[in-house]
Amino acid sequence: MSNLVITIARQYGSGGRTVGRMLAKRLNIPCYGREIIELAAEDSGINPVLFTDEKKHRGLRALLSGGFKGSQPLSPESAGFTKDDNLFRYQAKIIRQLAQEGSCVIIGRCADHVLSDLPGIVRVFVHATPAFCLQEAMKVNSLPQNEVEKLIAQTDDYRARYYKYYTGQEWKDAQNYDLSLDSSRLGFEGTVEAILAYLEVRKKFDPQLQITKE
């Protein structure tokens, strides 16, 4: 059996990161998000500042139909070593290593696509109503409401374009995920419970799924 790896894509303000960390705690497994940048920077020797966050990513070719055709990261002496595509390769390398090392939850960074060939992977998309996303985003942003609304729209737009460029697929397409959950209906705890319930059903029919929960 392979490790249990749950990937979580999420709309800004939906609480997907919170859900991921709560889920990891319930399953007693690690959760990785921005930590992937630090690990990729350490592995490559590239300043972590250059690993731009997906919501700030510059120069995405969003209309590219085939998606990014990645490969192994370039060596330091290669041209393009610090270019965005190579930075993504290093993040993908770390994501694959983490999945091989043990069960975990991975938030964002196209992990569902990077690990698409992994047996037993569980891919989750967390979304919510605009009102709920605004309410949650207002809690962590000391900006006027209209500015937070713009931030939500811009962040989700960049995430969609980032996903499109590196996967060739649509970020919100339900076919890319095993579960698509509305956290505004379930709350964070309910969303975690829904994922756990799915795991219990899935393991009955998928021999590749290994669950280690305390």
Side-chain angles (χ1 to χ4, degrees):
M1 293 185 289
S2 63
N3 296 320
L4 170 64
V5 179
I6 303 170
T7 65
I8 297 184
R10 75 284 184 220
Q11 286 185 303
Y12 187 75
S14 68
R17 178 179 285 107
T18 300
V19 167
R21 298 200 181 283
M22 291 171 62
L23 178 65
K25 186 175 181 180
R26 290 283 297 272
L27 292 169
N28 194 31
I29 59 178
C31 181
Y32 302 102
R34 291 192 60 83
E35 296 88 347
I36 291 170
I37 288 180
E38 298 299 326
L39 292 169
E42 181 180 344
D43 182 68
S44 64
I46 298 173
N47 191 316
V49 173
L50 295 179
F51 285 85
T52 53
D53 187 72
E54 59 200 41
K55 69 182 178 183
K56 299 177 182 176
H57 201 270
R58 306 178 300 273
L60 298 183
R61 297 188 287 276
L63 298 180
L64 186 67
S65 60
F68 171 70
K69 302 303 182 183
S71 58
Q72 291 298 313
L74 300 176
S75 58
E77 64 274 9
S78 301
F81 178 60
T82 60
K83 297 296 185 182
D84 288 339
D85 286 354
N86 199 47
L87 299 180
F88 181 83
R89 290 187 184 100
Y90 270 105
Q91 291 186 73
K93 176 185 176 183
I94 294 300
I95 288 170
R96 287 190 290 267
Q97 287 178 349
L98 293 173
Q100 291 171 358
E101 289 172 1
S103 297
C104 60
V105 174
I106 300 178
I107 299 171
R109 314 206 174 275
C110 301
D112 58 284
H113 179 77
V114 172
L115 301 174
S116 60
D117 59 345
L118 184 71
I121 187 175
V122 177
R123 304 160 300 169
V124 180
F125 185 80
V126 179
H127 58 94
T129 62
F132 183 87
C133 289
L134 177 60
Q135 170 187 298
E136 293 302 310
M138 290 288 289
K139 294 178 181 179
V140 296
N141 289 283
S142 56
L143 296 170
Q145 178 174 320
N146 66 320
E147 291 299 316
V148 175
E149 290 173 341
K150 289 180 183 178
L151 176 62
I152 293 171
Q154 291 171 351
T155 301
D156 283 350
D157 177 63
Y158 278 120
R159 286 178 178 174
R161 289 166 50 209
Y162 182 93
Y163 191 88
K164 176 72 172 180
Y165 175 55
Y166 286 115
T167 73
Q169 301 174 9
E170 298 299 328
W171 181 52
K172 292 184 179 180
D173 188 344
Q175 294 184 80
N176 295 326
Y177 309 100
D178 300 296
L179 282 177
S180 181
L181 298 169
D182 186 342
S183 58
S184 60
R185 289 185 178 275
L186 298 173
F188 298 157
E189 186 65 39
T191 303
V192 171
E193 291 293 340
I195 298 171
L196 292 173
Y198 171 81
L199 294 177
E200 290 300 320
V201 174
R202 170 86 172 262
K203 72 179 184 180
K204 295 179 181 179
F205 303 96
D206 186 354
Q208 299 287 354
L209 192 68
Q210 175 177 309
I211 301 176
T212 54
K213 180 176 62 173
E214 292 188 356

